[in-house]
Amino acid sequence: MALGPRVRGWLGRWEPRAAAAYRALFFDVRSLARAAAAWTPATRILEIGCGEGALTDALADAYPTAQVTGIDVTPRVGRLSRANPARVAFRQVTLDAFWPDHAGTFDLAVICDVLHHVPRAARPHLLALAGRTLRPRGRLVLKDWARRPTPIHLMGYLGDRYLTGDRVRYASADELRALVAAAFGEGAIERELRLPPWANNLALFVKPRPGEREGAGA
Ligand SMILES: C[S@@+](CC[C@H](N)C(=O)[O-])C[C@H]1O[C@@H](n2cnc3c(N)ncnc32)[C@H](O)[C@@H]1O
């Protein structure tokens, strides 16, 4: 059962503020956008599983001259975005349907807090297709809520499970690293950060190894 639609109805015009405050309890989205911009320049950015646009907007701010595309399977894609539509575009589309027309296009692909909503067996495929959207020197940021035996982890699980209604499954930090190695080659993780306010927020900054960009696991 998903409580999200009911909660959104109750909040009315307060929803954007409430959504931002709720997210901030678990993750500072701006810290990821800033860390990405400090790591690599980019003029074309793809956010895969962008949801209502919180991180997409932060990416547009952190990369003030970039074109940012957010895609998601949800009909609410980009709904809470306040970004300039001349620079930020949203599409409701699967990555399977999107990538063939955008192969080798993006400098940077970002997948943030999506993987735990994706069935385990489908994760290698998602990463492999993300790699196919990248230009030859393109890079990828994979951020997820890594499983840890802490009270905040339980709160995060309950929020995800009952607000979205999804059967979420969190990977451990080692499982996330192994997924990246399988898709993009051993040694592809150039940088790894724990982002505020909780150590669960693990970001892997990935430079696919030559020959691995098209995704070994597709
Ligand atoms: C927690 S939200 C994260 C939104 C955004 N990335 C952010 O950090 O603000 C997870 C999103 O993943 C999306 N999602 C789940 N499975 C997906 C898939 N296979 N392809 C694309 N998006 C997916 C959901 O629709 C949801 O909007």
Side-chain angles (χ1 to χ4, degrees):
M1 179 188 59
L3 293 175
R6 207 174 299 177
V7 173
R8 276 193 288 278
W10 290 334
L11 288 168
R13 68 189 178 93
W14 298 104
E15 184 194 348
R17 281 186 195 190
Y22 178 77
R23 189 74 187 281
L25 288 176
F26 295 98
F27 178 45
D28 173 6
V29 289
R30 295 192 174 275
S31 70
L32 178 61
R34 282 194 300 265
W39 175 55
T40 189
T43 55
R44 296 200 67 185
I45 301 173
L46 174 64
E47 190 193 354
I48 299 162
C50 63
E52 297 184 330
L55 177 62
T56 329
D57 284 11
L59 287 166
D61 287 346
Y63 288 90
T65 58
Q67 294 289 323
V68 186
T69 302
I71 66 168
D72 200 296
V73 293
T74 176
R76 299 189 306 279
V77 59
R79 196 178 63 99
L80 298 181
S81 171
R82 294 181 175 180
N84 177 355
R87 275 211 306 122
V88 178
F90 292 97
R91 281 186 59 188
Q92 183 191 359
V93 64
T94 63
L95 185 55
D96 284 88
F98 179 85
W99 84 266
D101 291 334
H102 298 85
T105 302
F106 294 95
D107 304 303
L108 176 66
V110 181
I111 305 175
C112 174
D113 288 341
V114 174
L115 228 52
H116 57 268
H117 293 270
V118 174
R120 277 184 209 282
R123 293 173 187 176
H125 181 67
L126 185 84
L127 289 188
L129 296 192
R132 292 183 180 189
T133 68
L134 295 176
R135 283 181 172 165
R137 278 180 296 282
R139 297 179 182 202
L140 177 127
V141 174
L142 174 67
K143 187 269 168 190
D144 216 280
W145 179 262
R147 192 174 68 237
R148 300 179 90 228
T150 58
I152 192 66
H153 182 68
L154 178 63
M155 280 181 62
Y157 168 75
L158 293 173
D160 265 336
R161 177 74 186 88
Y162 294 104
L163 283 176
T164 67
D166 288 356
R167 291 207 163 274
V168 289
R169 293 277 183 274
Y170 303 96
S172 67
D174 279 346
E175 286 166 343
L176 291 169
R177 292 182 193 112
L179 267 172
V180 168
F184 301 113
E186 289 294 337
I189 298 173
E190 201 172 82
R191 186 176 295 180
E192 181 174 319
L193 287 178
R194 300 275 180 176
L195 294 167
W198 303 103
N200 302 70
N201 291 306
L202 177 67
L204 304 177
F205 295 78
V206 182
K207 188 175 171 187
R209 309 292 290 175
E212 302 279 353
R213 189 169 311 278
E214 299 214 336

